Amino acid sequence: MALLHINGLTHYFGGLRAVYDFNLALEEGELIGLIGPNGAGKTTVFNLITGIYRPTKGTIQFNGQNLVGLQPHQITAKGICRTFQTIRLFNNVSVLDNVRIAFYSQVRSNLLDAFFRTPHLVSEDKALTREAYRLLEIFNLERYAQELAMNLPYGEQKRVEIARALATKPRLLLLDEPAAGMNPGEIDRLMDLIQRIRQEFGLTIFLIEHQMRLVMRICRYIKVMDFGETIAEGTPEEIRTNPRVLQAYLGEEVE
Amino acid sequence: MAQWQKLRSHLSAIPVLAYLLGFGIASAIELFIGYPVASLLGLPTMPTLFGIILVQQSLALLPSAIAYDLLIYLVPTYIAARLLTPLVQKLLQKVPSQRLMLVYVLALFLVALLWGGFHEYRTMILCLMGINFILCISLNLVNGYMGEFSVGHAGFMGVGAYIASILTVWVFPRSLGHLVFPLALLAGGAGAAIAGLLVAIPSFKIRGDYLAIITLATNFIIKNGIENIERIGGSRGFMGMAKLTNVPWVFFWSVLTLVLIRNFVLSPYGRGVIAIREDEIAAEAMTVNTRRMKIIAFCTSSFFAGIAGGLFAHLLLYINPSSFTLLKSTECLVMVYLGGMASISGSLVGAATFTILLEMLRPLEVWKWVLIPLLLLVMLLRRHTGLMGFREFQFLIPREEAEVYGSTSH
Ligand SMILES: Nc1ncnc2c1ncn2[C@@H]1O[C@H](COP(=O)(O)OP(=O)(O)O)[C@@H](O)[C@H]1O
Ligand SMILES: [Mg+2]
């Protein structure tokens, strides 16, 4: 039984066919990649999985449960979390609170505890704060804990986004172009980081890359999209030599 | 400029609590020598609100009024604050930090009584300040913390005012007075919260900024609705309330509101509300149930507006639908943006400043209608975050949070 099972996923924006007949059976522990030229429909696939859009057609099942029609917060609480292609941090909030916000669905104290700041809430919040610091340490971000997120350099902001996503305790992590805007050195370090958190948190990872550099190196299985359709899938070697992929990437560099 | 800097750092080295106590001592001295000093300076009566009212009557009194403020308030406050500084610092170290807020609250209450407890007009001003504070902090929850734009706060205030008044005048036995006053206020708050719920459910059903237009409409509906209910006086208004609102009650409800809203915004749920302001899609993606939090924040905000309304009604002893128009809502907005977005300290500063400003503007009469909306417009256009925007006084932050954030305010 696959952890994430997508069948015939199709999505139209008005007359524009953004995603057409997308299928996926993602097993627990896998790390797979989704590539394709700009506008191919990759981000839309993530938006459909996480409930931001409701698909025109098709089914999405996570751990055997249907996801279509659920609110994004419910889907994340089930164990799928994501990062965004363009960083979407809570800018005027400290890095620590960016992470603490993501604990929302795990909070056991109720609203009355919150209004009266009961000992139960205080001790729970303390535990969450410790946990947030632990996550920040893994990403080498603890010294920024009290800094507003918007004051961090770009690369650090990208790491905060991943740390924040992990705070929701996902089983499946969706990364949307994590290497965008990074130089080769930074990309190497990012790859190490992804491998490390994958081990440490027992994650299944599904990642989008526009460039092929990162994907070809860390993913054992890759899907390629163009104009909403899946035009190829297979191992990096198969993808590299696939004529349809080469054609789709015509005019863009293929490694 | 260097001297100005030096003066500033000198003045800010003195703890806020010392200033507060210093002002209390100045007020106590005023009780004894206020009248003689005023007549010595050629003022017709003792200035009740720092001479603002006297100057409105005759501009020629300005120098004397300033001299009075210097002699009675500024100089004694400064001297007392300086002398008290070592003592206050020792006290602040001794008091366990979770009791710190209690110390400030008690000191503030004492000072308020000393300054205003013996003058009818000052008592009125203090009560209005407290009521305005409750309005301001509750609106700040929606407009500052949650980043939505509610423009009809006075409507909910009106609901609370009418419900509380009807209860104390027609339902509860008059002899019980203060005993049942909290019940009447709570009922007013609950009524306002229900009205808030009726607004919140459709407003937050779909994503997008519908709240401004819906709250605008709601403000009109509530006002016109009350106008058309003859049973409660229609446009003639409603009266017969006993004077139940006084400084202790206003103080109690202000502190209660402050503590509850502070606790809420510092809780995981409050952080969810702040996440909505920052990025709603990211908030949802991080498991925040944005629709639920929006409804809860909005109802909480309306609830406290209702409490403020009840206090207001039992202070003025007469209410009518035009007490709760868009102008009153605009006043609430001005307080929020003047004091500071997403700040409890800002709500304190905003309400206090605005209450006094309003007294200063009293001679303008109808021009108020032009000036106050204009003030709001300017602040919104300049993206003014207010005097204390996104910042807090240290003593308002609970110990655990202060530890997390070291000594920086946030
Ligand atoms: N919210 C939207 N409304 C209309 N069209 C959209 C929307 N989001 C994406 N699109 C369109 O859908 C197509 C796929 O976009 P996207 O999934 O972002 O591509 P990718 O992530 O592969 O670059 C593009 O043509 C894009 O313009
Ligand atoms: Mg994309």
Side-chain angles (χ1 to χ4, degrees):
Chain A
M1 181 75 214
L3 182 65
L4 181 71
H5 208 284
I6 299 178
N7 211 338
L9 191 68
T10 300
H11 191 67
Y12 284 86
F13 289 111
L16 177 83
R17 196 178 70 181
V19 175
Y20 181 73
D21 196 23
F22 184 89
N23 298 293
L24 178 71
L26 182 55
E27 298 294 333
E28 179 112 50
E30 269 190 298
L31 193 173
I32 74 159
L34 178 60
I35 63 172
N38 252 325
K42 307 179 295 295
T43 300
T44 305
V45 169
F46 275 16
N47 287 338
L48 291 169
I49 297 172
T50 54
I52 292 179
Y53 303 136
R54 203 192 162 106
T56 314
K57 250 172 69 188
T59 60
I60 307 170
Q61 285 189 314
F62 180 69
N63 207 19
Q65 292 170 297
N66 169 45
L67 295 187
V68 175
L70 295 186
Q71 296 289 308
H73 69 87
Q74 295 171 315
I75 292 173
T76 312
K78 283 192 187 295
I80 303 182
C81 200
R82 68 175 296 177
T83 63
F84 294 90
Q85 183 175 347
T86 46
I87 300 175
R88 296 190 88 132
L89 288 176
F90 306 120
N91 272 326
N92 295 295
V93 169
S94 70
V95 168
L96 176 69
D97 279 351
N98 264 273
V99 176
R100 290 203 295 182
I101 285 166
F103 291 129
Y104 182 93
S105 69
Q106 298 160 49
V107 173
R108 293 280 78 89
S109 305
N110 59 30
L111 271 171
L112 282 181
D113 289 318
F115 277 112
F116 292 99
R117 205 172 171 80
T118 57
H120 180 238
L121 179 124
V122 172
S123 68
E124 184 179 21
D125 210 19
K126 265 189 190 160
L128 293 178
T129 305
R130 271 198 301 276
E131 170 129 17
Y133 265 107
R134 200 179 61 82
L135 273 171
L136 289 177
E137 274 160 27
I138 291 173
F139 288 83
N140 243 322
L141 288 164
E142 70 276 14
R143 72 208 143 105
Y144 293 116
Q146 298 174 26
E147 194 63 59
L148 294 187
M150 64 177 177
N151 293 341
L152 264 58
Y154 181 80
E156 266 75 6
Q157 289 195 3
K158 286 227 131 184
R159 280 188 284 142
V160 174
E161 246 206 342
I162 301 177
R164 182 181 72 170
L166 291 181
T168 66
K169 299 227 162 48
R171 284 170 73 186
L172 169 62
L173 184 62
L174 309 178
L175 299 171
D176 195 347
E177 302 204 14
M182 288 188 173
N183 62 39
E186 287 173 324
I187 293 181
D188 285 342
R189 259 172 286 145
L190 178 73
M191 282 192 277
D192 289 342
L193 185 71
I194 290 174
Q195 295 287 17
R196 225 182 86 212
I197 57 169
R198 187 177 161 218
Q199 294 292 321
E200 201 158 325
F201 293 87
L203 288 172
T204 307
I205 295 180
F206 184 14
L207 75 84
I208 292 178
E209 251 320 310
H210 171 62
Q211 319 151 10
M212 294 212 234
R213 180 186 170 83
L214 182 135
V215 178
M216 292 286 180
R217 295 242 310 257
I218 63 172
C219 299
R220 286 228 216 96
Y221 196 81
I222 296 170
K223 286 178 81 81
V224 190
M225 282 178 85
D226 194 22
F227 291 112
E229 290 186 51
T230 308
I231 55 166
E233 52 191 296
T235 61
E237 292 70 37
E238 289 164 359
I239 296 300
R240 215 190 296 269
T241 52
N242 185 310
R244 283 196 74 184
V245 177
L246 289 172
Q247 199 183 359
Y249 271 83
L250 210 65
E252 303 199 30
E253 23 103 49
V254 178
E255 211 182 325
Chain B
M1 245 23 234
Q3 271 156 334
W4 174 243
Q5 283 292 327
K6 243 166 102 180
L7 182 69
R8 268 192 62 168
S9 64
H10 172 71
L11 290 180
S12 59
I14 299 172
V16 178
L17 187 60
Y19 282 118
L20 200 59
L21 295 175
F23 186 76
I25 289 170
S27 303
I29 295 173
E30 188 192 27
L31 285 177
F32 295 103
I33 64 164
Y35 279 102
V37 169
S39 61
L40 214 67
L41 287 169
L43 292 165
T45 59
M46 196 182 97
T48 41
L49 193 64
F50 311 111
I52 290 170
I53 309 300
L54 286 173
V55 173
Q56 279 168 8
Q57 285 158 6
S58 156
L59 205 61
L61 295 176
L62 185 65
S64 310
I66 291 176
Y68 182 89
D69 287 342
L70 274 174
L71 276 176
I72 295 288
Y73 294 117
L74 234 54
V75 174
T77 302
Y78 169 74
I79 294 174
R82 270 205 75 174
L83 292 177
L84 284 172
T85 297
L87 208 78
V88 167
Q89 272 163 349
K90 222 179 272 163
L91 180 81
L92 290 179
Q93 275 161 11
K94 269 220 193 96
V95 178
S97 43
Q98 66 267 45
R99 293 268 169 277
L100 206 55
M101 211 169 109
L102 195 70
V103 171
Y104 279 89
V105 165
L106 282 176
L108 192 64
F109 183 60
L110 211 73
V111 170
L113 275 185
L114 270 175
W115 180 74
F118 303 92
H119 306 262
E120 209 174 321
Y121 177 63
R122 286 184 185 177
T123 305
M124 177 81 157
I125 294 293
L126 284 174
C127 289
L128 284 175
M129 262 185 202
I131 292 167
N132 281 338
F133 167 69
I134 297 174
L135 288 172
C136 183
I137 193 175
S138 55
L139 184 61
N140 215 335
L141 182 59
V142 171
N143 288 33
Y145 288 96
M146 193 158 77
E148 295 280 334
F149 197 63
S150 163
V151 298
H153 212 46
F156 303 108
M157 183 192 178
V159 171
Y162 269 87
I163 292 179
S165 305
I166 288 166
L167 286 176
T168 58
V169 174
W170 288 346
V171 181
F172 296 154
R174 218 171 166 77
S175 54
L176 289 179
H178 286 285
L179 275 179
V180 290
F181 188 38
L183 276 183
L185 292 177
L186 286 174
I194 290 168
L197 187 68
L198 294 178
V199 171
I201 287 176
S203 307
F204 300 137
K205 194 148 207 151
I206 10 176
R207 253 178 225 133
D209 300 317
Y210 298 98
L211 191 65
I213 198 83
I214 294 182
T215 49
L216 183 78
T218 307
N219 203 158
F220 278 111
I221 292 169
I222 291 174
K223 180 189 169 256
N224 293 338
I226 297 171
E227 245 163 24
N228 285 306
I229 306 176
E230 277 307 316
R231 187 89 179 76
I232 54 171
S235 55
R236 277 168 290 116
F238 188 88
M239 58 184 114
M241 294 78 96
K243 178 135 186 154
L244 297 173
T245 300
N246 53 25
V247 174
W249 270 132
V250 170
F251 203 82
F252 168 79
W253 287 102
S254 300
V255 171
L256 188 70
T257 310
L258 183 151
V259 170
L260 292 181
I261 290 189
R262 179 204 70 167
N263 289 350
F264 178 69
V265 297
L266 290 175
S267 75
Y269 296 104
R271 288 197 285 268
V273 168
I274 292 168
I276 292 171
R277 172 190 74 206
E278 292 296 314
D279 187 330
E280 199 174 330
I281 292 196
E284 272 279 330
M286 295 305 133
T287 71
V288 177
N289 187 342
T290 57
R291 180 144 185 253
R292 176 163 180 260
M293 284 329 296
K294 282 178 175 183
I295 292 174
I296 286 166
F298 196 80
C299 288
T300 306
S301 170
S302 313
F303 174 82
F304 287 109
I307 299 274
L311 287 167
F312 181 79
H314 292 83
L315 177 69
L316 298 190
L317 312 185
Y318 167 68
I319 46 175
N320 70 35
S322 18
S323 318
F324 309 108
T325 56
L326 217 51
L327 181 69
K328 186 82 194 168
S329 298
T330 310
E331 289 179 7
C332 299
L333 286 167
V334 172
M335 280 193 280
V336 170
Y337 293 98
L338 179 73
M341 299 274 283
S343 166
I344 292 156
S345 316
S347 304
L348 280 169
V349 173
T353 318
F354 186 77
T355 308
I356 292 181
L357 189 73
L358 215 56
E359 290 305 305
M360 292 170 83
L361 295 181
R362 201 179 274 278
L364 290 181
E365 292 173 3
V366 281
W367 286 99
K368 242 175 47 171
W369 284 78
V370 178
L371 200 74
I372 289 172
L374 210 64
L375 200 64
L376 179 66
L377 209 66
V378 170
M379 285 189 295
L380 287 179
L381 287 178
R382 297 197 54 199
R383 302 195 168 274
H384 196 358
T385 53
L387 297 167
M388 291 289 293
F390 302 99
R391 289 184 299 147
E392 292 295 357
F393 294 133
Q394 203 53 54
F395 68 91
L396 287 172
I397 304 294
R399 183 173 42 119
E400 315 82 39
E401 280 297 301
E403 276 167 7
V404 167
Y405 283 101
S407 60
T408 58
S409 58
H410 94 291

